Amino acid sequence: MASRNHCGSQTREGKMFVLLLLQVWLLPVLEAVKVSPLIEKVSDHKDFKKLLRTRTNVLVLYTKTATSGDSHLKLLSDVAQIVKGEGTIAWVNCGDSEGRKLCKKVKVDPSSRGDGSELLHYKDGTFHTEYNRPATFKSMVAFLRDPSGPPLWEENPEAKDVVHIETEKDFRKLLKKEERPVLLMFYAPWCGVCKRMQPVFQQAATETKGKYVLAGMNVHPAEFDSLKQEYNVKGYPTFCYFEKGKFLHHYENYGATAKDIADWMRNPHPPQPKTPEVPWSETDSPVFHLTDDSFDGFLEEHPAALVMFYAPWCGHCKKMKPEYDEAAEMLNRAADSPGVLAALDATEHKAIGDRFKISGFPTLKYFERGEEKYTLPQLRSKDKIIEFMHNPQAPPPPEQSWEDKPSGVSHLGSEDFREALKKKKHALVMFYAPWCPHCKSSIPHFTAAAELFKEDRKIVYAAVDCTKGQNHDFCKQEGVSGYPTFNYYNYGKFVERYSGDRGETGFVGFMRSLRERDQEKVVKRKEDL
């Protein structure tokens, strides 16, 4: 009897030991999958469809196993807290039995990714895009708040040498600790002049790295109003120069090159008194010249006014000034003048320029009784201006660019090209110029081919507008010497120049032959086994 009790005791101790081992082994696993209650855990296909039907902005993390997405889940838990009410984050574990079925139905295979996870975004109930931006808190929050918006400036790899400042605390810390001279660009994400100057500024940051600090800070949010007041930020961009934490000068060359900025940093000096490149003052011009202070009062006095927002250095503005002057003179002489013409230098009077979000020059706006009514890009000649003033009409709708039209084509630029293509097994890329007639004739065929393959996550038809920003030099690097040029890439690596038929049949047939080749390789591997 004693012997049996002893054996029973050993059995119980053995079971307890095994249970202890299981607890020790399972503990990290259980901790790994512990996520925020704000993240929706989905495994059933019906529940998934309901989620997409009831939520308009959903970012879904698919993971190979319960633990392979651990780092993403920790970050997404923090993101979910901030975007609560604006966006939804969901998690599908493709490693368990139910999740595996769901992943198969939606054709997602995170096991093909190096980290065993994949992030996909769904908008208004359907797939929108793959999340290709940096896996950082700030980028993910910005993406979920505006999934179709542009990436943050700091996400551009070419801006890596710019010090990107997020908070006023970081700003104060930089000024306190930095021994080198600092040139800080206060900007707003929507500001056209800022966008034009950012590539120049980041190039200057790279060329002067180690000697000076070039920093950028988005101060458009209201939380930075006191900071803007402190440094006289009345418009965007505003450049402030600091030495050992003390503000010394503003930098005001808005047509600068990277070399201009680097040269100025070697010999910083206050802005020179401004003299317009082409004298255009109220004393010798029939055009009324406005300022930040006179703008609103002028519109109250004149029930119908056409205002030209310009920059002194702008070539198109210089070309248009004589036409605008002549039109103003003719209207002023007329006994029954339908209105007046006015102009405002938006680089000098930034408060008004910013109020109307002037991002290009010249911009013409028509006002009635002090209220903005139309923006008129088509008015460039004297005759057109006078004709409009006598019969003010809304401008014809602008022709929608290819990039703005919804399609299966991914429109890429130098900043996101490599990152986007390295995740695709097969990519056919069209390098083009919007004005090129051969490009225009190819676009509908290329777009139709992209639509056929848009559900295949390993295939992409992409396009690069070589006339935009930094894309011109990038296209040259990719061997583009004429438009359109079609290149084929495999996981982001150039393979060959496409020289086939430029109709839908040619573009579709090329991709189908690649896919058939893949299938033949799979069959051969199975046969070898």
Side-chain angles (χ1 to χ4, degrees):
M1 183 68 72
S3 177
R4 283 200 302 271
N5 287 340
H6 179 66
C7 290
S9 175
Q10 281 186 327
T11 304
R12 284 194 300 275
E13 286 173 1
K15 286 179 179 178
M16 287 177 67
F17 179 71
V18 170
L19 283 170
L20 184 61
L21 279 175
L22 280 169
Q23 283 180 333
V24 171
W25 178 77
L26 282 170
L27 187 61
V29 177
L30 291 169
E31 286 178 349
V33 296
K34 187 179 179 182
V35 296
S36 165
L38 292 173
I39 294 181
E40 305 263 358
K41 176 75 168 68
V42 188
S43 56
D44 181 74
H45 189 239
K46 286 183 180 178
D47 291 341
F48 182 74
K49 286 171 73 176
K50 183 182 177 183
L51 177 72
L52 298 188
R53 192 171 62 250
T54 56
R55 312 290 174 86
T56 59
N57 178 20
V58 185
L59 184 64
V60 182
L61 172 68
Y62 296 91
T63 62
K64 179 183 175 182
T65 65
T67 56
S68 56
D70 192 39
S71 59
H72 270 115
L73 286 168
K74 188 176 185 304
L75 174 60
L76 288 168
S77 295
D78 296 333
V79 173
Q81 187 68 41
I82 299 299
V83 300
K84 185 180 177 182
E86 299 176 78
T88 301
I89 298 174
W91 173 37
V92 179
N93 173 17
C94 298
D96 63 35
S97 57
E98 286 298 312
R100 194 177 299 114
K101 292 176 188 174
L102 171 56
C103 294
K104 195 172 181 180
K105 281 188 177 181
V106 296
K107 297 178 182 176
V108 176
D109 181 15
S111 63
S112 62
R113 302 305 176 99
D115 63 352
S117 65
E118 187 169 2
L119 275 165
L120 302 180
H121 182 259
Y122 298 82
K123 186 179 178 183
D124 299 324
T126 60
F127 171 73
H128 171 232
T129 187
E130 184 175 351
Y131 180 84
N132 288 322
R133 290 166 64 171
T136 65
F137 175 79
K138 189 176 179 184
S139 292
M140 285 181 164
V141 169
F143 174 80
L144 278 166
R145 284 178 169 165
D146 187 8
S148 301
L152 301 173
W153 187 15
E154 52 264 47
E155 292 177 27
N156 185 345
E158 294 180 10
K160 64 182 185 305
D161 296 319
V162 174
V163 176
H164 299 280
I165 301 171
E166 293 186 36
T167 65
E168 186 172 343
K169 184 179 178 182
D170 293 338
F171 166 74
R172 304 289 181 196
K173 188 177 178 182
L174 175 73
L175 294 188
K176 186 177 181 180
K177 294 192 172 183
E178 187 54 64
E179 292 292 322
R180 294 166 295 177
V182 175
L183 182 63
L184 183 61
M185 177 179 176
F186 292 110
Y187 70 95
W190 49 261
C191 158
V193 180
C194 305
K195 290 175 185 176
R196 192 184 69 245
M197 289 205 70
Q198 281 173 355
V200 173
F201 194 72
Q202 63 201 29
Q203 186 183 342
T206 299
E207 291 177 4
T208 61
K209 187 179 179 180
K211 295 180 183 177
Y212 314 112
V213 173
L214 271 65
M217 185 175 183
N218 170 18
V219 291
H220 181 60
E223 64 188 276
F224 299 115
D225 284 351
S226 61
L227 192 67
K228 285 182 278 190
Q229 189 173 1
E230 182 179 351
Y231 292 101
N232 199 29
V233 179
K234 293 182 178 177
Y236 305 113
T238 293
F239 296 89
C240 293
Y241 176 77
F242 300 86
E243 282 185 8
K244 296 187 177 178
K246 291 185 178 179
F247 168 70
L248 296 183
H249 312 302
H250 281 110
Y251 177 73
E252 296 186 354
N253 183 358
Y254 299 103
T257 64
K259 184 179 182 301
D260 292 334
I261 294 173
D263 289 346
W264 188 88
M265 291 295 287
R266 293 186 195 98
N267 180 30
H269 51 271
Q272 298 299 312
K274 292 182 180 176
T275 54
E277 293 185 29
V278 179
W280 201 26
S281 64
E282 199 165 354
T283 55
D284 56 8
S285 166
V287 172
F288 292 91
H289 288 261
L290 309 180
T291 66
D292 283 338
D293 295 331
S294 67
F295 187 87
D296 292 321
F298 177 84
L299 292 186
E300 285 177 13
E301 292 176 18
H302 298 86
L306 183 66
V307 180
M308 174 179 167
F309 296 86
Y310 72 97
W313 43 259
C314 157
H316 293 295
C317 304
K318 292 175 186 177
K319 186 177 178 181
M320 187 177 165
K321 282 177 185 178
E323 297 280 321
Y324 202 67
D325 272 334
E326 284 187 46
E329 192 168 346
M330 292 175 71
L331 289 168
N332 292 348
R333 284 203 309 260
D336 57 344
S337 177
V340 296
L341 303 191
L344 182 135
D345 177 354
T347 65
E348 171 75 22
H349 305 288
K350 295 179 183 178
I352 296 296
D354 287 343
R355 190 207 296 180
F356 292 101
K357 293 184 166 54
I358 304 301
S359 59
F361 304 110
T363 293
L364 275 81
K365 289 183 179 290
Y366 179 68
F367 296 83
E368 278 189 357
R369 298 177 186 84
E371 296 293 325
E372 178 188 350
K373 194 163 185 184
Y374 306 127
T375 298
L376 303 150
Q378 84 279 17
L379 297 187
R380 289 293 183 266
S381 69
K382 169 188 67 178
D383 293 339
K384 290 283 186 187
I385 292 168
I386 292 172
E387 181 186 335
F388 170 82
M389 291 299 289
H390 280 288
N391 183 26
Q393 298 286 329
E399 185 182 342
Q400 196 176 23
S401 71
W402 185 22
E403 206 166 332
D404 294 331
K405 294 175 183 175
S407 78
V409 176
S410 291
H411 291 273
L412 306 174
S414 58
E415 68 284 351
D416 59 357
F417 185 87
R418 299 288 174 213
E419 191 65 29
L421 291 200
K422 74 180 183 182
K423 297 175 181 178
K424 303 294 181 180
K425 189 170 186 179
H426 304 300
L428 186 60
V429 182
M430 177 177 171
F431 296 89
Y432 73 100
W435 46 259
C436 154
H438 294 298
C439 303
K440 290 178 181 177
S441 62
S442 295
I443 284 172
H445 304 295
F446 194 76
T447 303
E451 287 297 313
L452 285 176
F453 291 93
K454 69 179 182 180
E455 298 300 326
D456 193 323
R457 302 198 193 287
K458 292 185 178 180
I459 290 174
V460 68
Y461 286 77
V464 178
D465 178 355
C466 294
T467 66
K468 286 179 66 176
Q470 303 288 309
N471 291 353
H472 181 69
D473 292 337
F474 173 72
C475 290
K476 281 186 177 178
Q477 292 169 16
E478 296 303 303
V480 177
S481 56
Y483 306 122
T485 292
F486 298 89
N487 286 352
Y488 165 59
Y489 296 81
N490 178 257
Y491 288 119
K493 292 182 180 178
F494 172 76
V495 178
E496 62 178 318
R497 178 74 44 82
Y498 172 81
S499 55
D501 176 63
R502 292 182 180 178
E504 181 182 346
T505 305
F507 294 134
V508 171
F510 176 74
M511 200 61 77
R512 277 184 178 154
S513 67
L514 293 171
R515 199 165 62 173
E516 286 166 7
R517 200 186 308 165
D518 292 342
Q519 290 169 348
E520 286 169 6
K521 287 179 181 177
V522 171
V523 171
K524 192 174 184 306
R525 278 200 298 268
K526 288 181 179 177
E527 288 173 350
D528 292 341
L529 291 171

